Amino acid sequence: MPNSNAKLHSNHRAGREASRRELVSRSLQSAQHCLENQDFGTAYAHYLLVLNLAPELKTTVKETFQFTLFKWAEELDSLARIQDLFSCYEQALELYPNDEVICNSMGEHLFRMGFRDEAAGYFHKAVKLNPDFADARENFYRVANWLVERWHFIMLNDAKRNLTYLRAIESAVRSGSTSVLDIGTGTGILSMFAKKAGASFVYACELSKTMYELARDVVAANNMEREIKLLHLKSLDIEIPKHIPERVSLVVTETVDAGLFGEGIVESLIHAWEHLLLQPK
């Protein structure tokens, strides 16, 4: 009797596997037929079914799936079906999370729609996945020019200004400010100054996705990724102990420019003083 049950289960599994293979085969045929008739939406749906039923075919159908996705996305874009377009890309990235071509294409749609910060994130990911991907590199540099003001480059190359910041931070750390929060870290330069000055704990927040990713790269290039905690947050949203374990003893920022009030720096500093900075006894 046990042998009979085992045989029954084996036959059942074999039957399910045969049914799966048949459905996958028919869906692939249907997808190809739809592509020939330029019915990209239906072809995309068939490929989704195939890839969910037969993940082992991901490499085999990858290029055709990409082509189908991009064509269907163009149609959705022309019909202003923006939510459906993004849903398709989310589904595609669930199947191919490390595909630089899909990431780059998603970024291009976001950029055209005005979501430049979000687009930069996808372009940056594509470049990280494949540093030789020329289109993604060009797209990332293009969106970075939109997001990073020219004065920022001038400021970073102002040696006198940087030295003044460094000396001020060193003086504060030597005076006992061992935990530091850098608001609007940008490239992370002030955070690195604080760490080099001897601060035990350094936290940095940056709202811009592009600058946050840049800061991560800069900090990692200086071998400080384990010593500086970077937060992709607005300073007003930082909570203790959710994001940082306790109040800090020093707050640094270089967000003071012509956009003083527009950037909300006053509110940020008041919030830091009231909620994130140790109060004098």
Side-chain angles (χ1 to χ4, degrees):
M1 193 68 174
N3 288 337
S4 177
N5 287 337
K7 185 176 181 180
L8 186 63
H9 285 304
S10 178
N11 290 338
H12 184 61
R13 284 196 300 271
R16 283 190 302 179
E17 178 60 21
S19 297
R20 182 186 75 91
R21 287 199 300 267
E22 176 66 18
L23 182 54
V24 168
S25 177
R26 288 185 178 182
S27 293
L28 282 172
Q29 291 174 9
S30 296
Q32 188 60 42
H33 178 72
C34 290
L35 284 178
E36 291 170 0
N37 289 284
Q38 298 189 347
D39 183 359
F40 301 114
T42 307
Y44 175 77
H46 280 298
Y47 277 119
L48 279 185
L49 178 61
V50 167
L51 290 167
N52 279 287
L53 287 174
E56 66 274 14
L57 295 179
K58 281 185 178 181
T59 302
T60 305
V61 303
K62 180 178 176 179
E63 289 187 9
T64 312
F65 175 76
Q66 288 175 342
F67 172 80
T68 306
L69 168 66
F70 300 156
K71 286 295 186 181
W72 180 224
E74 287 176 9
E75 284 193 24
L76 292 172
D77 193 7
S78 67
L79 296 169
R81 292 171 57 183
I82 306 307
Q83 188 57 53
D84 290 334
L85 184 154
F86 288 141
S87 293
C88 286
Y89 273 96
E90 288 170 2
Q91 292 167 337
L93 287 170
E94 284 181 9
L95 292 166
Y96 296 96
N98 295 318
D99 189 290
E100 69 273 18
V101 178
I102 295 176
C103 286
N104 183 63
S105 181
M106 174 69 153
E108 288 175 338
H109 281 286
L110 286 165
F111 184 78
R112 283 196 295 270
M113 293 174 191
F115 301 106
R116 291 170 183 151
D117 205 25
E118 293 82 355
Y122 281 97
F123 294 144
H124 183 265
K125 182 178 179 181
V127 173
K128 295 282 280 187
L129 289 167
N130 182 2
D132 296 325
F133 189 7
D135 286 350
R137 279 205 320 273
E138 182 179 335
N139 283 333
F140 181 70
Y141 294 145
R142 179 174 53 151
V143 75
N145 283 333
W146 282 89
L147 292 170
V148 182
E149 299 290 346
R150 291 295 175 187
W151 58 260
H152 199 87
F153 296 105
I154 298 171
M155 184 177 69
L156 285 172
N157 287 283
D158 186 340
K160 183 177 179 181
R161 172 189 169 282
N162 292 337
L163 184 59
T164 301
Y165 264 107
L166 174 60
R167 287 174 175 168
I169 291 171
E170 286 176 338
S171 176
V173 172
R174 282 197 300 267
S175 298
S177 298
T178 58
S179 56
V180 180
L181 171 63
D182 179 6
I183 295 177
T185 192
T187 58
I189 187 171
L190 298 189
S191 295
M192 291 187 291
F193 282 172
K195 196 62 199 177
K196 287 181 178 179
S200 302
F201 306 99
V202 180
Y203 312 98
C205 64
E206 175 57 55
L207 180 60
S208 165
K209 178 68 173 174
T210 305
M211 295 308 297
Y212 167 74
E213 295 289 355
L214 179 60
R216 287 182 60 186
D217 287 346
V218 171
V219 168
N222 285 273
N223 299 313
M224 293 186 182
E225 65 269 32
R226 295 183 180 179
E227 301 175 330
I228 298 173
K229 183 175 181 180
L230 288 166
L231 303 167
H232 181 215
L233 285 172
K234 191 175 182 179
S235 62
L236 297 173
D237 296 329
I238 295 176
E239 298 177 17
I240 298 172
K242 182 178 179 180
H243 301 114
I244 60 177
E246 58 188 3
R247 288 173 179 255
V248 297
S249 50
L250 176 66
V251 170
V252 297
T253 185
E254 55 177 344
T255 50
V256 180
D257 74 310
L260 175 63
F261 297 102
E263 290 186 6
I265 186 60
V266 174
E267 292 85 349
S268 296
L269 292 177
I270 291 173
H271 175 77
W273 173 260
E274 294 179 343
H275 303 285
L276 306 175
L277 189 65
L278 285 170
Q279 299 297 312
K281 295 180 180 180

